[in-house]
Amino acid sequence: MTATDFTIDDTSDSEGAKSSPRVVERYRAQELTTGYRLQMLFGRVADRVVSAAGVALLFLPFLIGGLLLADIPAKLFDGWTSVESLKPSQWLSRGDLFFTAGIFLLVLLTRRHGGRVAHQALALAWTAAIILTLLMLIYLAPTLQQSDFPNGRYMLGLVSGWYAGAHVAVAIYDLTRGSRWWRPPFLALAGGLGVQSMIYFFVVYAATGAPWVYWMGTNFMLQLVMSVVFVGLYRTLRHSFRPRSGRVSGYGGR
């Protein structure tokens, strides 16, 4: 059995006049044997693995930075209120800023490589980040005190929130791509960061007596502001992250 190609033959006749396009059927010599089909399959899988690994390497520094700085308060927005218990630094860390920037980058990489590769890269990057962070903590353990280690509830909320939020952002972007240029990135960030906020604050602060509902709402408003800023940056960068031909359907917005 041979493979068939259909091409458009748009040529001119002998008098120089352009003739109507014709569909020409050509046969390739390569037979679609079982071995050839397997070769094509392994080639596609290898291409996706390499792409996912490349995206994961770009995303990984943001995850490691977020995990290492998760317990350092970010006081950038504290001037908005004079009430100590309501200041964003009560819950917002520098690690959260790293995670947020990582999702911004992930949206651009989803535009370039597609949702399937982005989801795979997320799993790879988070696995590598957790392993590297644990190895680093084991290495530094002799110099650390018990208070330097975060509690299990906090880490569960942190990791599950950001991991789920990133997957939601990728999924929403992939579903809405092809509409007006600003909708996919904004809806992806709003949905992903909203899921992250709900999971994180519920897991970490529910039934603790902390004003976590207020914190969650304020945190989400800050994330929406950052998302709007990112949409402006996205408009500038989107032409540098064009979808790879033959891999991604849609164009991520016109």
Side-chain angles (χ1 to χ4, degrees), residues 78-90:
D78 279 3
W80 291 9
T81 179
S82 58
V83 181
E84 189 66 27
S85 62
L86 301 182
K87 290 183 177 181
S89 62
Q90 294 293 323

Side-chain angles (χ1 to χ4, degrees), residues 4-5 19 37 73 96 104 125 134 146 153 160 172 188 211 238:
T4 305
D5 287 330
S19 60
R37 292 176 186 274
D96 292 323
F104 292 168
L134 289 175
Q146 185 64 32
R153 181 175 179 176
S160 62
I172 292 177
R238 67 193 178 105

Side-chain angles (χ1 to χ4, degrees), residues 100 103-105 107-108 111 173 180-191 193 223-239 252 254:
T100 304
I103 290 186
F104 292 168
L105 174 64
V107 167
L108 287 169
R111 170 176 167 79
Y173 183 89
R180 295 183 64 86
W181 69 268
W182 57 269
R183 286 178 182 168
F186 180 76
L187 294 177
L189 292 169
L193 295 175
Q223 290 174 331
L224 285 181
V225 171
M226 289 187 283
S227 298
V228 171
V229 173
F230 169 74
V231 168
L233 183 62
Y234 174 91
R235 182 175 186 179
T236 302
L237 296 176
R238 67 193 178 105
H239 296 298
R254 292 187 287 272

Side-chain angles (χ1 to χ4, degrees), residues 42-173:
F42 287 138
R44 289 194 296 267
V45 171
D47 183 54
R48 287 173 182 159
V49 169
V50 170
S51 296
V55 173
L57 284 175
L58 292 174
F59 188 53
L60 183 60
F62 293 92
L63 297 184
I64 294 177
L67 291 172
L68 294 178
L69 300 176
D71 61 341
I72 300 180
K75 300 183 178 182
L76 181 64
F77 305 104
D78 279 3
W80 291 9
T81 179
S82 58
V83 181
E84 189 66 27
S85 62
L86 301 182
K87 290 183 177 181
S89 62
Q90 294 293 323
W91 74 87
L92 187 66
S93 71
R94 295 182 184 180
D96 292 323
L97 300 180
F98 268 82
F99 287 130
T100 304
I103 290 186
F104 292 168
L105 174 64
L106 191 63
V107 167
L108 287 169
L109 294 174
T110 303
R111 170 176 167 79
R112 171 68 173 166
H113 296 280
R116 177 182 296 181
V117 170
H119 285 301
Q120 294 168 346
L122 263 174
L124 288 173
W126 269 103
T127 300
I130 292 174
I131 292 174
L132 291 174
T133 302
L134 289 175
L135 291 175
M136 191 176 302
L137 289 176
I138 292 173
Y139 176 77
L140 296 174
T143 63
L144 298 176
Q145 299 178 356
Q146 185 64 32
S147 58
D148 294 325
F149 293 92
N151 61 60
R153 181 175 179 176
Y154 172 77
M155 290 306 301
L156 176 62
L158 180 76
V159 173
S160 62
W162 284 110
Y163 184 74
H167 276 294
V168 169
V170 170
I172 292 177
Y173 183 89

